[in-house]
Amino acid sequence: MAAYYVVAEALTNAAKHARASVIQVETEAAEGALQVWIRDDGTGGADPVRGSGLVGLKDRVEALGGTITVYSPPGAGTSLHASLPLAD
């Protein structure tokens, strides 16, 4: 369920703010975690510290024991990676 929310929020942000023409979503289960990557070719400049949907997403992922990183230099698109622990 958490992976769904990560992808949905990233797609919403790319559609609303980034003016992206291509969005790529990849997932992989490895080493006890679900890895989720979302990349777009939009405007970049997403800042998870500035009270956006990314803040809530970070809180949700970390509450589950996961991690999330965002790389979004202005003018160069956005890459988001979430690692969500899988139940034993």
Side-chain angles (χ1 to χ4, degrees), residues 5 9 13 17 47-48 50-59 68:
Y5 285 114
E9 181 67 26
N13 286 347
H17 307 293
D47 184 356
R50 287 188 328 198
S52 67
L54 293 173
V55 171
L57 199 56
K58 181 177 186 290
D59 291 344
I68 190 165

Side-chain angles (χ1 to χ4, degrees), residues 42-76:
T43 58
D47 184 356
V49 176
R50 287 188 328 198
S52 67
L54 293 173
V55 171
L57 199 56
K58 181 177 186 290
D59 291 344
R60 181 185 302 252
V61 168
E62 289 178 351
L64 296 170
T67 60
I68 190 165
T69 56
V70 178
Y71 179 70
S72 187

Side-chain angles (χ1 to χ4, degrees), residues 3 16 21:
K16 284 174 111 175
S21 61

Side-chain angles (χ1 to χ4, degrees), residues 4-58:
Y4 168 82
Y5 285 114
V6 168
V7 173
E9 181 67 26
L11 293 176
T12 298
N13 286 347
K16 284 174 111 175
H17 307 293
R19 297 189 301 257
S21 61
V22 175
I23 304 168
Q24 181 180 15
V25 177
E26 295 179 44
T27 61
E28 176 184 25
E31 299 178 19
L34 178 63
Q35 308 297 325
V36 180
W37 295 271
I38 302 104
R39 298 174 190 92
D40 71 53
D41 67 347
T43 58
D47 184 356
V49 176
R50 287 188 328 198
S52 67
L54 293 173
V55 171
L57 199 56
K58 181 177 186 290

